[in-house]
Amino acid sequence: MFHLTTERPDDGPAIDDLLDRAFGAGRQSKISYRYRQATAPVGELSRVARADGGGRLLGTIRYWNVAVGGHDALLLGPIAVEPSLKGRGIGVALMRDTLDAAAWMNHKRVVLVGDIGYYARFGFVPAAPMGLVMPGENPARLLAAPLAKGAFDGVHGTLQPRRFLRGGGLIAA
Ligand SMILES: CC(C)(COP(=O)(O)OP(=O)(O)OC[C@H]1O[C@@H](n2cnc3c(N)ncnc32)[C@H](O)[C@@H]1OP(=O)(O)O)[C@@H](O)C(=O)NCCC(=O)NCCS
């Protein structure tokens, strides 16, 4: 029914349209979007679900580089699935595929803003009790998952966006 591929540059308009329908046109005023300004999503982890056959875009997931307590982390999101096709495993496939890829790429920790009821199955736990903070966001919705054992040991503080340096590399903003 569907397959996953890496996002292509010409997927942009279809992804924006899907995100507008999934989250509403005001989505960019969400706190998490502050971490997505002046930087690009992690290319290797920007994946889409396409319909078998025609290739219509059915789902999207992206990740962003952030920092917390002086350590690298990934901010997951947004993830969205074509509304008429919810509940058919597309979201789970996007999550598992990209979390496996992130671990393989040696990323150590992932944070996101979302419902624990959905994300617990992927190893996410509430991040506020661990001392992680996203200013302005509901602390109960900030979740974290280690991709390596003990990856959050001693890691706490306020999430910081990261920006590209001229000539490559990343800095904490
Ligand atoms: C959340 C979303 C990505 C899930 O994708 P999906 O393809 O519909 O989900 P899947 O088919 O892979 O998984 C379905 C399971 O997730 C559960 N689920 C979906 N959304 C949930 C939520 N917000 N809280 C708890 N469980 C949820 C379903 O009940 C179902 O459970 P089951 O496997 O026990 O039956 C999709 O519903 C979506 O695009 N929602 C709108 C945008 C959004 O809210 N994105 C997430 C931001 S936090």
Side-chain angles (χ1 to χ4, degrees):
M1 179 195 136
F2 70 90
H3 59 280
L4 306 185
T5 69
T6 302
E7 180 187 318
R8 297 187 308 237
D10 64 355
D11 287 326
I15 290 173
D16 283 340
D17 176 63
L18 174 54
L19 293 175
D20 285 347
R21 286 184 290 116
F23 293 101
R27 63 186 169 87
Q28 303 211 21
S29 62
K30 288 174 180 279
I31 298 289
S32 55
Y33 272 81
R34 293 183 193 165
Y35 293 82
R36 302 170 185 154
Q37 291 165 356
T39 188
V42 180
E44 301 90 331
L45 299 175
S46 297
R47 304 274 285 167
V48 295
R50 297 186 199 284
D52 290 339
R56 186 167 71 99
L57 194 122
L58 305 180
T60 174
I61 191 168
R62 286 171 169 166
Y63 291 75
W64 308 78
N65 288 297
V66 295
V68 59
H71 296 265
D72 292 332
L74 292 169
L75 175 64
L76 189 166
I79 174 174
V81 168
E82 179 59 38
S84 62
L85 295 173
K86 282 184 185 175
R88 300 194 188 188
I90 299 174
V92 166
L94 285 166
M95 287 292 298
R96 294 205 191 289
D97 175 77
T98 52
L99 289 171
D100 285 353
W104 187 84
M105 290 164 63
N106 215 24
H107 289 286
K108 298 284 191 290
R109 48 195 80 81
V110 183
V111 295
L112 63 78
V113 177
D115 296 338
I116 187 67
Y118 184 64
Y119 293 104
R121 71 193 72 193
F122 309 110
F124 283 85
V125 297
M130 298 158 56
L132 272 57
V133 178
M134 181 183 279
E137 184 52 77
N138 177 354
R141 288 178 56 77
L142 184 62
L143 310 178
L147 297 181
K149 195 169 161 42
F152 278 101
D153 292 355
V155 177
H156 51 80
T158 300
L159 260 67
Q160 304 283 343
R162 303 198 75 179
R163 306 206 191 290
F164 286 110
L165 281 175
R166 196 182 302 229
L170 289 160
I171 53 168

